[in-house]
Amino acid sequence: MNFMGKLQQLGRAVMLPMIILPAAAICLSLSNLPWDALGLPAMADYLSVAGNSLFVFLPYLFAAGVAWGTSSNGGAAALSALAGMFIYTGIVQFSHFNIQPTVLIGALIGMLAGYSYERFKSIRLPEYIQFFGGPRFVPLFVSFVCVLFSMLMVGIAPSLSKALVWLGDVVASAGGFGVFLYGFLHRILVVFGLHHLLNHVFWFQVGGFRMDNGSMVYGDLPRFFAGDPTAGVFMAGLYPTMMFALPAIALAIIQEAREDLKPKIKRTFLSAALASFLTGVSEPVEFAFLFVAPYLFVVHAFISGIIMWVTYELGILHGFSFSSGAIDYILNMHLATKGWLLIPLGIVVFMLYYGLFRWAIRRFRIPTPGREEGSALDDWAGDIPYRAPLILQAIGGKDNLETLEACITRLRIKVRNERLLDNAALRDLGAAGVIRLGGGNVQVVFGTFSELIREEMIKTMQRDQTQVHFSSPVQGRMIPLDEVPDPIFAGKLVGDGVAFIPDRGELVAPVKGTVIVLYPTMHAIGLRTEEGLEVLMHIGIDTSALKDEGIFSAAVKEGDEVAAGQLLISFDVQRLRTAGKSLATPMIITNPQLVRSWGYGPFKTVKRGQSAIMSVRLREREDSQVGGKRS
């Protein structure tokens, strides 16, 4: 794995334990309700203890989470990391020094456990002690290293503790510029999915605060919830961007969309804007213009840094447990300083961004979704089980997939051959962007449905049923079969499938197979796949009776073996448009009783040979025979 690939894996691993923090914030917020008046005086204490306990044991959560995220067997690695943390805690407490486990220590031990598992999971020892070989060697190794590490920390921890506080003072001495620099880098690193690494330093390491019980907490986020009146510097400025700037961008994209596409774009981007406003998930909006106008994204990152600088100068301090959305804003308002100022500041930011992006989109003719046919963010969430096989195909199939992970907004994968990735197909299937980090490491941004997509892809790979994937046989536009202006095809009397409106006169094989029929007029052709599916492609409607010679020209004959993408028939689009009833070209499976389930790509513009336009999962042999008898 190359350097960027390791950072991608580490970034996801660091993010994993943070999913616990919203529970802590909710418990702490609920503890402030008037439970005495409700006759439950102890409830406030219980909730407060519950919330604070998660912060107290945060180092252990990070140790287990990071180990889980950096290994192929999360359970074994996480158990080894927890064992290492217990050893560390026991030794430093035995030393009688005032040392508490920190998130940094938890992350380091988690990385040690995760990478140790990958290194030693297959280790072989002499036969008489092989019981301790393989995965069982990992906790032994981690425990031994943690003993040595703990002894080292006993010697240097006091100095390290002072160094972390000093680092916080240094960062604070940079004033507004330091906060601006953090805000700018934070947005830039979002592109590569590495912003979690930057956040880990500022949210969990920089600065120290001694609580009433004498223990120390480090980092902007734990300090904020521990009651540090100076914490929240590196979180407050993110609220105006997530709650106001990104919804403004979404509204600008909606307003600049074509009138015929505006309803679809409105539905998609209002959802994206609401996700950003409520939960602080930014990628669905940001990736809508990142690839078509990267210079505009740099301007956006610069303004985001300026916003953070302004919040610093205004003395606004606010924090969040997970993201800078409205939910966290309301939950943690009781701990904020001048938090109310974020609302008027956000309104100004909204107007600035809305005006800037509408002007930029129009002035530079930026092809944001809705300004050209199709959309990088399709409204397709309900079709996840049906599109998962197509997404898997666009990635190159399960044989091309080495690892498949997901964070909140993106699939993080490693592929064996990047050339097999079909970026256009992935974007048509709903991806907001595809980021190649090198060494086979790729991020596919699907927004908040990424985890669900991963689960469906895993289910797809685990199913025993045979799957057949189809590519586009023409260049043009894919349409549902029921839109074909012919009752035989539209009524699925011949079979089931999809149709196309071609704009170029070439028909290619959508799948590997054998030519079983070629009509004398060459207006239609049939293939049989290796799995036994019979596929009929009919160029145009009412074209069988055309007498004009030269409209169709076959490049194959009956009995030929053809590969996917191989030219089958050439035809004159202009003459066919004039002579035929319609250019609609159905591609149907004439023995649909063999098919258990169907999956379709988005019905939009396609290129010839484009993958992931249709996928079918076959019935088992007995099922297909029963289906055949019934039909």
Side-chain angles (χ1 to χ4, degrees), residues 468-483:
V468 183
H469 305 289
F470 291 80
S471 301
S472 174
V474 298
Q475 175 173 306
R477 181 165 56 90
M478 188 169 83
I479 62 174
L481 194 61
D482 56 14
E483 291 185 11

Side-chain angles (χ1 to χ4, degrees), residues 360-378:
I361 291 171
R362 191 175 302 175
R363 173 67 177 79
F364 300 107
R365 298 181 179 179
I366 300 173
T368 50
R371 290 177 61 82
E372 56 183 9
E373 188 171 355
S375 170
L377 292 174
D378 202 2

Side-chain angles (χ1 to χ4, degrees), residues 422 471-475 508-510 564-565 606-613:
D422 191 333
S471 301
S472 174
V474 298
Q475 175 173 306
V508 302
V606 293
K607 296 181 180 179
R608 186 190 69 177
Q610 177 179 316
S611 64
I613 61 101

Side-chain angles (χ1 to χ4, degrees), residues 329-360:
Y329 176 81
I330 295 171
L331 283 176
N332 305 313
M333 188 65 177
H334 64 286
L335 296 172
T337 301
K338 299 182 179 179
W340 64 271
L341 279 176
L342 291 172
I343 300 301
L345 176 61
I347 294 173
V348 173
V349 168
F350 181 92
M351 293 188 293
L352 170 65
Y353 265 81
Y354 178 73
L356 172 65
F357 271 76
R358 286 208 67 176
W359 171 82

Side-chain angles (χ1 to χ4, degrees), residues 545-565:
L546 293 180
K547 298 181 180 180
D548 295 350
E549 296 183 358
I551 292 183
F552 303 102
S553 175
V556 295
K557 61 183 182 299
E558 290 184 4
D560 284 355
E561 300 284 340
V562 296

Side-chain angles (χ1 to χ4, degrees), residues 138 195 278 319 414 461 470 549 599:
V138 178
H195 51 300
L278 291 177
K414 185 177 182 182
M461 291 187 288
F470 291 80
E549 296 183 358

